[in-house]
């Protein structure tokens, strides 16, 4: 038995033993307080083109044959995360779980509900509110809390309230300071690449079933409905800030730079309950999502959990969060938060220690393991983030991607490197034969490396593609992390079926309204084709009549620069329009001449300059290749 095969077999045997010895406490917490679930398991999309979510999608987890293709530890986690319906957490606090990747909380404030983190889509949030009303009686929503700036915690807001009621003061929207900027900016610049990679992280194109998606390890698949966004009306700016909504008192803790750039926890002193947002989960979280993001700060994360323990844990009988399940009992909460905190702190400190002994990211990931006392806690298992991935993220945060080895300073890109490797190993057939031997020996990681070179050497080689897909499939079946399973199985899918040609996701009116014009111009700047911009040097004043805004756009040296609130008399043209015309012509590719002809766009000066500006902008490619050149 090879070392790789031995390690994989040992890991699988370990999780089998852990599952067999499970005390079922998490299942009891997950089932406690169950009231009811939807009679119709399908939550339809408002567009009528399929379900936003199907509550029967994970029924297959109850079939014992699933154990042949789903890691037993992940299967256990998935069964907990997919328990769906309305649950009473305690008097006055209810949750709807299993309708989306996240969990929505309803807090009884007397005359109405406080809704915390209203899921990813309008349809899922509306279905949750309907379930609450059906079983607990209808009450209006009087406040919505966004715990942080990720879409699965705010994008369903349109399902529980509307902008008119917020504008009229009937509903408050509470969020951490900086929420709006972070909510619309995190994905806007690198959005197309992140969305493409998110298909892998969440298995968005995989079918549900024993050979497909088995949750992300953090929650079920995101609900695939209509996103929305309503701007906050109340900012939480500092730890210790207090608010009363209805008859509910809340004390907030600001935790920026943890799981999100703008995030907060809160404590309900009259309930003796603490809400931990996404800072404490039923699994190890990721410090760098597979979809991509700025690297998160493991030390800050641990430090804020220390503060949470000091501020709230000892005064709490119940802990609830934005994903997963509640925890009950003060001792349970303190122990959970301390052990969870220690896992992130251990990862941070030991990654840095090993880094300072000269180990590079891949070497650290290979040897770094949590102590058994932490690793055997289910909530520290790597279902969403992993020790391997997180140690590499910490390394990257401190000293970047380069490992200081000159050979890795300027390596060949994947395709030309693959051709050289394959040639050096004796050709395509020899590489495939070596890979087959490695797979037979259980050395799946090495087989994947070999076959990846074979595919990048000759993407038309069907045999190589199918061999690699089979290896990825087996790696997916063995993976304890839901994210890793999804990534491997999506890679296998695209090798055998090709890349799904999905339409680019368009921002809706709510999101566009919240996106500032400078942010939109930033998007335009990162889409400038330098070949088209070569030799161009001009300025254009842009006036947006519906927003009373002025922007100066300069193109020179292949770069687009924009300045807000500035006009320059030396600009070659002044273009007057609404923001919608700017969006349609600059980012959506609609012909400028049509708008000028209709009088929707007015140009003072050289109209060709604004047309030249729009002609520089290239649309991204939302379906680019990942597992082939």
């Amino acid at each position: 038995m090879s070392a790789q095969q031995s390690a994989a077999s040992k890991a699988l045997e370990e999780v089998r033993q852990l599952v067999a010895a499970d005390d079922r406490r998490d299942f009891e917490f997950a089932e406690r307080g169950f009231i009811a679930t939807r009679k119709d398991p399908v939550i339809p999309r408002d567009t009528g083109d399929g379900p936003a979510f199907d509550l029967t999608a994970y029924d297959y987890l109850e079939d014992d044959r699933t154990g042949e293709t789903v890691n037993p530890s992940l299967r256990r986690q998935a069964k907990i995360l997919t328990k769906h319906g309305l649950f009473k957490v305690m008097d006055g606090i209810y949750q709807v779980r299993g309708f989306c990747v996240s969990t929505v909380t309803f807090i009884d404030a007397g005359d109405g509900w406080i809704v915390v983190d209203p899921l990813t889509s309008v349809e899922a949030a509306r279905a949750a509110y309907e379930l609450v009303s059906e079983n607990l009686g209808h009450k209006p929503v009087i406040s919505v809390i966004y715990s942080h700036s990720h879409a699965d915690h705010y994008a369903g807001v349109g399902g529980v309230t509307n902008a008119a009621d917020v504008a009229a003061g009937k509903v408050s929207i509470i969020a951490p300071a900086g929420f709006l900027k972070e909510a619309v900016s995190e994905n806007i610049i690198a959005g197309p690449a992140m969305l493409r990679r998110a298909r892998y992280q969440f298995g968005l194109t995989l079918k549900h079933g024993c050979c497909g998606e088995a949750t992300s390890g953090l929650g079920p698949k995101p609900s695939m409905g209509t996103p929305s966004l309503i701007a906050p009306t109340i900012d939480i700016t500092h730890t210790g800030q207090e608010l009363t909504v209805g008859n509910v008192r809340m004390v907030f803790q600001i935790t920026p730079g943890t799981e999100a750039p703008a995030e907060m926890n809160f404590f309900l002193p009259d309930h003796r309950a603490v809400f931990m947002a996404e800072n404490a989960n039923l699994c190890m979280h990721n410090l760098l999502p597979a979809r991509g993001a700025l690297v998160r700060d493991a030390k800050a994360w641990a430090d804020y959990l220390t503060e949470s323990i000091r501020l709230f844990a000892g005064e709490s009988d119940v802990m609830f969060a934005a994903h997963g399940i509640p925890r009950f009992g003060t001792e349970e909460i303190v122990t959970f938060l301390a052990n969870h905190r220690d896992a992130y702190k251990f990862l941070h400190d030991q990654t840095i220690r090993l880094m300072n002994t000269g180990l590079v990211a891949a070497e650290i990931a290979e040897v770094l393991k949590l102590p058994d006392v932490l690793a055997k806690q289910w909530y520290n298992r790597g279902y969403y983030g992993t020790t391997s991935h997180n140690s590499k993220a910490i390394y990257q945060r401190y000293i970047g991607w380069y490992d200081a080895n000159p050979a890795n300073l300027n390596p060949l890109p994947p395709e030309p490197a693959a051709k050289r490797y394959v040639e050096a190993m004796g050709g395509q057939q020899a590489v495939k034969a070596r890979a087959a031997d490695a797979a037979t020996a259980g050395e799946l990681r090495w087989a994947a490396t070999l076959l990846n070179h074979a595919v990048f050497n000759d993407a038309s080689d069907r045999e190589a593609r199918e061999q690699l897909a089979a290896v990825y499939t087996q790696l997916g079946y063995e993976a304890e992390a839901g994210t890793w399973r999804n990534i491997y199985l999506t890679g296998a899918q695209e090798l055998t079926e090709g890349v799904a040609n999905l339409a680019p996701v368009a921002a809706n009116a709510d999101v566009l309204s919240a996106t500032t014009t400078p942010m939109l111009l930033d998007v335009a700047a990162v889409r400038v084709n330098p070949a088209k911009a070569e030799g161009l040097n001009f300025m254009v004043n842009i006036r947006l009549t519906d927003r009373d805004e002025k922007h100066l756009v300069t193109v020179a040296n292949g770069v687009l620069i924009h300045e807000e609130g500035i006009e320059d008399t030396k600009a070659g043209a002044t273009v007057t329009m609404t923001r919608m015309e700017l969006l349609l012509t600059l980012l959506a590719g609609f012909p400028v001449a049509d708008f000028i002809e209709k009088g929707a766009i007015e140009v003072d000066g050289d109209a060709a300059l604004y047309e030249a500006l729009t002609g520089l902008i290239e649309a991204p490619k939302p379906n680019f290749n990942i597992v082939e050149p």
Side-chain angles (χ1 to χ4, degrees):
M1 181 183 291
S2 70
Q4 286 187 23
Q5 185 178 25
S6 176
S9 299
K10 182 179 178 182
L12 280 171
E13 182 56 32
E14 177 195 87
V15 297
R16 288 191 186 99
Q17 292 178 8
L18 281 174
V19 171
D22 183 18
D23 63 8
R24 305 283 295 183
R25 177 167 34 177
D26 286 347
F27 283 91
E28 192 276 317
F29 286 167
E31 293 161 358
R32 185 183 295 190
F34 175 74
I35 296 172
T37 193
R38 273 176 62 92
K39 296 181 178 65
D40 182 353
V42 176
I43 302 172
R45 284 197 194 108
D46 288 348
T47 52
D49 57 348
F53 200 84
D54 183 349
L55 297 173
T56 67
Y58 297 98
D59 288 355
Y60 73 88
L61 291 168
E62 297 302 326
D63 187 335
D64 285 340
R65 289 174 295 180
T66 300
E68 300 172 10
T69 55
V70 180
N71 180 291
S73 178
L74 176 59
R75 181 187 175 204
R76 171 198 173 277
Q77 176 81 347
K79 288 169 75 172
I80 293 169
L81 292 173
T82 56
K83 291 185 181 298
H84 53 81
L86 172 63
F87 297 81
K88 180 180 179 179
V89 178
M90 65 177 298
D91 287 344
I93 301 177
Y94 302 84
Q95 289 188 316
V96 175
R97 303 198 287 269
F99 282 30
C100 187
V101 65
S102 51
T103 292
V104 56
T105 301
F106 291 79
I107 301 172
D108 189 344
D111 294 332
W113 294 110
I114 300 169
V115 178
V116 186
D117 287 2
L119 308 181
T120 308
S121 71
V122 168
E123 293 89 338
R126 183 192 302 126
Y129 187 22
E130 288 172 350
L131 185 62
V132 168
S133 298
E134 178 184 338
N135 288 277
L136 302 176
H138 179 76
K139 285 187 177 185
V141 172
I142 60 173
S143 187
V144 176
I145 296 176
Y146 304 145
S147 70
H148 61 288
S149 51
H150 292 153
D152 52 326
H153 302 274
Y154 67 80
V157 64
V160 297
T161 189
N162 57 73
D165 282 351
V166 173
K170 297 178 182 178
V171 181
S172 60
I173 307 287
I174 302 168
F179 165 86
L180 195 59
K181 173 183 177 296
E182 300 299 343
V184 299
S185 68
E186 176 165 310
N187 297 330
I188 195 166
I189 294 293
M194 285 188 182
L195 286 170
R196 176 71 176 100
R197 292 162 61 112
R199 290 195 218 173
Y200 276 68
Q201 178 175 330
F202 291 106
L204 297 179
T205 58
L206 298 176
K207 294 180 180 178
H208 291 285
C210 62
C211 297
E213 191 260 352
T215 80
S216 63
L218 181 68
K221 183 180 286 190
S223 57
M224 305 302 288
T226 307
S228 59
L229 176 61
I230 301 176
T233 59
I234 299 175
D235 285 343
I236 304 303
T237 60
H238 61 277
T239 293
Q241 185 172 341
E242 297 190 23
L243 281 180
T244 298
V245 176
N247 59 13
V248 174
R249 292 193 299 143
M250 297 175 281
V251 182
F252 292 88
Q253 178 196 12
I254 293 293
T255 64
T258 52
E259 190 273 337
E263 188 147 356
M264 65 186 185
N265 305 322
F266 62 81
F267 176 59
L268 305 175
D270 298 328
H271 294 72
R272 289 182 56 86
V274 61
F275 175 78
M276 289 301 300
E278 204 167 331
N279 290 318
N281 299 280
L282 197 59
C283 62
M284 180 184 292
H285 212 290
N286 53 56
L287 299 174
L288 177 57
R291 66 176 171 85
L294 298 178
V295 179
R296 296 157 183 171
D297 187 343
K299 182 180 181 301
W301 200 321
D303 289 346
Y304 280 120
L305 286 175
T306 297
E307 185 178 64
S308 300
I309 295 168
R310 183 68 57 196
L311 290 174
F312 307 135
E315 305 299 320
S316 297
D317 299 321
V318 172
M319 189 209 86
F320 58 110
H323 291 276
I325 59 175
R327 308 200 84 80
F328 301 92
T330 303
E331 183 179 355
E332 169 73 25
I333 294 165
V334 172
T335 300
F336 165 76
L337 289 176
N339 285 340
H340 211 46
R341 180 267 320 274
D342 290 350
Y344 292 117
K345 191 66 163 58
F346 184 92
L347 282 177
H348 173 272
D349 293 353
Q350 296 308 311
T351 296
I352 301 302
R353 182 182 69 84
L354 293 171
M355 182 180 77
N356 286 332
T357 68
L359 270 64
V360 300
E363 293 169 329
I364 295 170
E366 198 71 9
V367 301
L368 186 59
K369 309 294 179 188
L370 289 177
D372 277 356
V373 67
L374 296 177
K376 290 187 176 181
Q377 304 297 331
W378 293 114
Y379 47 76
N380 285 335
R381 304 295 294 185
Y383 297 118
Y384 191 56
T386 66
T387 300
S388 171
H389 200 134
N390 283 344
S391 63
K392 292 175 183 176
I394 294 165
Y395 185 98
Q396 178 178 324
R397 180 178 177 87
Y398 279 92
I399 56 177
W401 61 268
Y402 175 47
D403 64 4
N405 185 330
N408 297 323
L409 182 62
N410 189 26
L412 290 170
E415 189 173 2
K419 294 185 181 302
R420 299 291 182 88
Y421 277 118
V422 169
E423 180 184 14
M425 285 187 283
Q428 189 83 345
Q429 294 303 319
V431 171
K432 290 188 289 185
R434 287 173 183 264
D437 290 343
T440 299
E443 298 176 345
L444 297 178
R445 292 163 67 190
W446 178 233
T449 298
L450 290 170
L451 290 166
N452 183 62
H453 285 316
V455 170
F456 272 74
N457 175 61
D458 181 4
S460 67
D461 187 334
R462 194 72 199 172
E463 183 182 32
R465 295 172 73 99
E466 290 178 353
Q467 272 187 263
L468 182 53
V471 169
Y472 281 162
T473 298
Q474 189 57 41
L475 284 167
Y477 290 169
E478 293 179 2
E480 185 176 22
T483 48
W484 285 32
R485 175 186 176 88
N486 291 337
I487 289 165
Y488 282 129
L489 296 185
T490 302
Q493 180 188 61
E494 293 191 353
L495 283 165
T496 55
E497 301 176 16
V499 178
N501 189 28
L502 303 183
V505 176
N508 69 356
D510 286 347
V511 176
L512 286 176
S513 177
T515 305
T516 66
T517 304
M519 288 179 183
L520 295 176
L521 293 173
D522 283 340
V523 172
V526 300
R527 296 183 182 181
V528 168
N529 183 323
K532 294 179 180 178
E534 187 175 359
L536 296 180
N537 189 328
F538 62 86
M539 293 188 295
V540 173
N541 293 319
I542 293 177
R543 296 176 180 171
L544 301 181
T545 56
D546 57 331
R547 294 205 170 200
D548 193 24
E549 293 179 356
K550 296 178 181 179
H551 302 269
L552 175 65
V553 174
T554 303
V555 173
N557 302 318
V559 175
L560 187 158
I561 302 294
H562 60 88
E563 300 171 83
E564 186 176 9
I566 301 293
E567 282 194 352
D568 195 314
T569 57
K570 296 189 293 294
T574 297
V575 185
T576 303
M577 55 188 154
T578 67
R579 235 235 331 213
M580 182 55 68
E581 274 83 52
L582 177 71
L583 281 167
L584 293 174
T585 54
L586 190 63
L587 295 177
F590 283 72
V592 175
D594 291 351
F595 290 91
I596 293 176
E597 183 178 341
K598 296 174 185 175
I601 293 179
E602 297 178 359
V603 181
D604 181 13
D606 186 355
L609 289 182
Y610 184 62
E611 291 196 73
L613 174 63
T614 61
L616 302 178
I617 311 303
E618 277 194 347
K621 297 179 179 178
N623 301 298
F624 56 79
N625 288 342
I626 291 178
V627 289
E628 60 182 304

